[in-house]
Amino acid sequence: EVHLLESGGGLVQPGGSLRLSCAASGFTFSSYAMTWVRQAPGKGLEWVSGISSADNSTYYADSVRGRFTISRDNSKNTVYLQMNSLRVEDAAVYYCAKNEGIRPSSRIDCWGQGTLVTVSS
Amino acid sequence: DIQMTQSPSTLSASVGDRVTITCRASQSFSTWLAWYQQKPGNAPRLLIYDASTLETGVPSRFSGSGSGTEFTLTISSLQPDDFATYYCQQYNTYRATFGQGTKVEIK
């Protein structure tokens, strides 16, 4: 059974940094793209970033480009989201998600339960 | 980026009703579209992919159709478990984008 477990969320001040982790199990991690999606309180889903399994190409939403970095460690079956220069508007539940294919331009077929990021002074 | 617009934003319906949600894209693409269901406090769940393919384990009362710029999700007979928020997502481009969501409420 596919399982995604996020960690690393918490309270951070504006301008601060956090690193989210997502530990994957139940599938051949190195063969699938991974994606981060966020959901601000009471709002809809926002695609944040994706990373290919074929060549580790990375992709970002305009709202986070230059501040967030996605990476993966296939030896640890883990995908990361390094978030720098955090803003109040980055506060959300961050979901880790597995893509169906090798590239982020494929459907998401499994989601983690999410980790909450709060940005406040 | 491709913008996805869902309508309506909120839908009030009764058990047994036929429900249709529309998703329109700002640019035309083939059928690289998925529908997800989300209940409060839970992660989204994949219902439909490639615009019309039912994910394994999803009840057959759910169906999807469309291509190009207009897509629909239909629930043939609404059940109590179906009251939730539904999102479309295009994955035609690397920066996949979601619609704003449609909340299906009890009438």
Side-chain angles (χ1 to χ4, degrees):
Chain A
E1 180 184 0
V2 174
H3 191 59
L4 301 171
L5 182 62
E6 301 98 334
S7 61
L11 173 64
V12 62
Q13 292 186 340
S17 297
L18 275 179
R19 187 198 199 199
L20 305 184
S21 299
C22 172
S25 61
F27 64 102
T28 305
F29 179 77
S30 60
S31 296
Y32 294 92
M34 299 295 292
T35 289
W36 287 94
V37 175
R38 70 184 180 184
Q39 186 169 38
K43 302 298 183 181
L45 302 172
E46 180 186 12
W47 182 90
V48 173
S49 182
I51 184 166
S52 168
S53 64
D55 56 9
N56 283 348
S57 295
T58 58
Y59 307 90
Y60 300 94
D62 287 344
S63 57
V64 307
R65 183 178 293 109
R67 300 186 298 121
F68 290 13
T69 302
I70 189 172
S71 61
R72 64 190 298 157
D73 186 338
N74 290 339
S75 69
K76 296 183 178 179
N77 288 354
T78 300
V79 61
Y80 305 97
L81 188 67
Q82 176 67 44
M83 305 187 296
N84 298 331
S85 302
L86 281 161
R87 305 168 179 168
V88 170
E89 56 265 33
D90 294 320
V93 173
Y94 283 73
Y95 292 104
C96 168
K98 170 188 170 292
N99 291 94
E100 177 273 339
I102 63 173
R103 305 193 186 282
S105 55
S106 57
R107 69 183 180 271
I108 291 173
D109 61 5
C110 187
W111 300 71
Q113 281 306 300
T115 186
L116 178 63
V117 172
T118 303
V119 185
S120 174
S121 54
Chain B
D1 289 354
I2 298 177
Q3 308 302 317
M4 306 301 293
T5 304
Q6 288 182 233
S7 60
S9 296
T10 305
L11 188 160
S12 296
S14 302
V15 172
D17 284 353
R18 181 181 181 88
V19 166
T20 297
I21 299 169
T22 299
C23 182
R24 290 186 173 87
S26 61
Q27 302 173 35
S28 180
F29 55 89
S30 181
T31 56
W32 305 121
L33 184 113
W35 290 96
Y36 303 91
Q37 177 194 66
Q38 187 181 33
K39 297 181 180 179
N42 288 347
R45 168 198 180 194
L46 176 64
L47 299 177
I48 302 278
Y49 63 91
D50 295 350
S52 61
T53 303
L54 199 67
E55 173 72 341
T56 301
V58 175
S60 59
R61 62 182 179 272
F62 291 92
S63 64
S65 65
S67 67
T69 61
E70 187 159 328
F71 303 85
T72 60
L73 172 69
T74 299
I75 309 172
S76 60
S77 178
L78 198 65
Q79 298 302 300
D81 191 48
D82 301 337
F83 291 96
T85 300
Y86 294 85
Y87 295 92
C88 63
Q89 184 204 24
Q90 64 81 18
Y91 46 94
N92 181 68
T93 60
Y94 287 116
R95 299 198 297 184
T97 45
F98 292 90
Q100 81 278 16
T102 296
K103 185 176 183 180
V104 177
E105 298 180 328
I106 301 173
K107 189 172 185 180

